[in-house]
DNA sequence: AACAATGTACACAGATCGGTTTACATTGTG
DNA sequence: CACAATGTAAACCGATCTGTGTACATTGTT
């Protein structure tokens, strides 16, 4: 059920998909849906909650393999580049949903914010272990690039490679300027 | 009339505002609206067409005053920072509308794309006159930062200052690496 | 076999959606 | 004054929206 919700809400947008359509696509009666969820808003929030980890996992490197912080960061943009090439890419689902709702207090928007901050935290961890001068600032900048590239790719197609390049430059500038241990 | 359309569509989203509401807010009968516009989609497209120039004008520096390319570029992010502080900031209207429509062929989405490319072209002109190594790549990167900062500011509040800083770094890297004439 | 829980199909409510029709008021022009 | 053009309000169209109410089928448990 939440799978169908993810598919539809992400592909067409929250407002563009009604609960009737959702029930039909999920092969479930509308009545059952409203027994498990108190409202459509709750469906959207829960859908992001279960779909979110799958999304971020696609961008994080496998913890078991050994990668340098720099590699882990650039891997995010490589993954984005691959994702953006697919025909079913519609931009970052967190940004899209939160933007469409236009309400930062909306439960779904809070979930979206949470997963966005997970990406920033991931960047910050890499920046920290690489010895960046200002890990948090660098992490925020890398997140900006990610969001911009996602939106731009959905709008015009292309450009995530430019984001990777920009990320590389920002990373280099922040690391070589920082303390001794190099971030290679 | 298009003023009201801009206000509502940008604040609440295209799907969230019906034509009835639009007519009421614009103090105009719905019938008159449909005599001037053939459909709601056309309203959205036309609204972006007339509202767009006002938006980009807010980010471009006055042509009459003398500014260095670098100043002109950074001014964009300063303006974004100021705009994002206002309570009526909901992210880049072009990105938001185009994203919500989920259809690159939609007339309004084409208009949005056009104005986005105007920003990139503006960046590229500055990069060119400053003698950047790859003006187009730099311009695309700066646009990514802009879009990312817009979305992020709308979602979480804050962060356009980080974008300004990142833009500065990217600019410095691209200019000092380029040919002789400095972009100060 | 009796039972409560759960799911389903389906109609329904009241509102709104994009868009049209009708009948009437206003207006500038000849 | 007559006329055509334009705008208005309001009802209306069929469809869809979120959300319920109802009556029936299925299920696992005792």
């Amino acid at each position: 059920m939440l799978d169908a919700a993810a598919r539809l809400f992400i592909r067409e947008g929250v407002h563009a998909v009604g609960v009737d359509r959702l029930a039909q696509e999920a092969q479930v009666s509308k009545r059952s849906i409203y027994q498990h969820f108190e409202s459509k808003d709750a469906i959207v929030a829960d859908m992001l909650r279960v779909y979110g980890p799958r999304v971020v996992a696609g961008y994080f490197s496998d913890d078991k393999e050994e990668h340098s912080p720099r590699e882990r960061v650039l891997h995010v943009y490589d993954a984005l580049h691959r994702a953006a090439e697919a025909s079913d890419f519609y931009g970052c689902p967190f940004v899209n949903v939160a933007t469409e709702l236009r309400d930062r207090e909306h439960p779904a928007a809070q979930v979206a914010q949470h997963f966005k901050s997970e990406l920033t935290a991931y960047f910050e961890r890499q920046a920290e272990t690489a010895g960046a001068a200002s890990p948090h600032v660098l992490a925020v900048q890398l997140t900006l690039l990610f969001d911009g590239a996602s939106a731009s790719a959905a709008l015009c197609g292309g450009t995530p490679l430019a984001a990777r390049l920009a990320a590389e430059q920002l990373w280099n500038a922040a690391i070589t300027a920082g303390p001794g241990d190099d971030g290679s």
Side-chain angles (χ1 to χ4, degrees), chain A residues 2 36 51 58 123 180:
Chain A
L2 286 176
H36 292 293
Y51 188 72
F123 281 145

Side-chain angles (χ1 to χ4, degrees), chain A residues 16-164:
Chain A
V17 177
V19 180
D20 288 284
R21 172 103 179 286
L22 195 56
Q24 180 185 343
E25 207 89 4
Q27 308 262 51
V28 168
S29 77
K30 189 160 65 149
R31 203 70 189 78
S32 300
I33 291 182
Y34 276 106
Q35 263 156 8
H36 292 293
F37 305 93
E38 70 167 358
S39 68
K40 186 186 178 182
D41 288 337
I43 300 175
V44 180
D46 274 11
M47 163 261 153
L48 276 193
R49 248 186 292 268
V50 318
Y51 188 72
R54 286 219 295 270
V55 174
V56 301
Y59 292 112
F60 293 179
S61 303
D62 194 339
D63 261 343
K64 283 160 185 165
E65 299 184 34
E66 287 191 8
H67 294 296
S68 69
R70 180 200 172 88
E71 281 170 344
R72 285 176 190 277
V73 166
L74 293 182
H75 171 78
V76 172
Y77 297 93
D78 288 332
L80 175 62
H81 176 61
R82 272 197 306 278
E85 273 177 335
S87 65
D88 64 333
F89 180 79
Y90 301 95
C92 170
F94 307 124
V95 171
N96 287 356
V97 168
T99 301
E100 192 179 351
L101 295 178
R102 293 283 201 293
D103 174 12
R104 277 184 235 183
E105 311 303 316
H106 191 293
Q110 305 262 2
V111 177
Q113 242 176 300
H114 168 256
F115 284 111
K116 279 277 105 174
S117 74
E118 270 201 4
L119 178 64
T120 305
Y122 179 73
F123 281 145
E124 189 167 352
R125 256 176 281 141
Q126 312 309 319
E128 231 161 18
T129 73
S134 324
H136 185 67
V137 173
L138 178 57
V140 169
Q141 292 174 335
L142 291 173
T143 307
L144 291 187
L145 277 178
F146 181 89
D147 289 340
S150 301
S152 184
L155 209 151
C156 324
T159 67
L161 279 181
R164 195 205 128 108

Side-chain angles (χ1 to χ4, degrees), chain A residues 1-11 17 22 26 43-44 47:
Chain A
M1 151 67 199
L2 286 176
D3 270 25
R7 215 176 336 118
L8 292 174
F9 286 149
I10 286 169
R11 190 199 311 157
V17 177
L22 195 56
I43 300 175
V44 180
M47 163 261 153

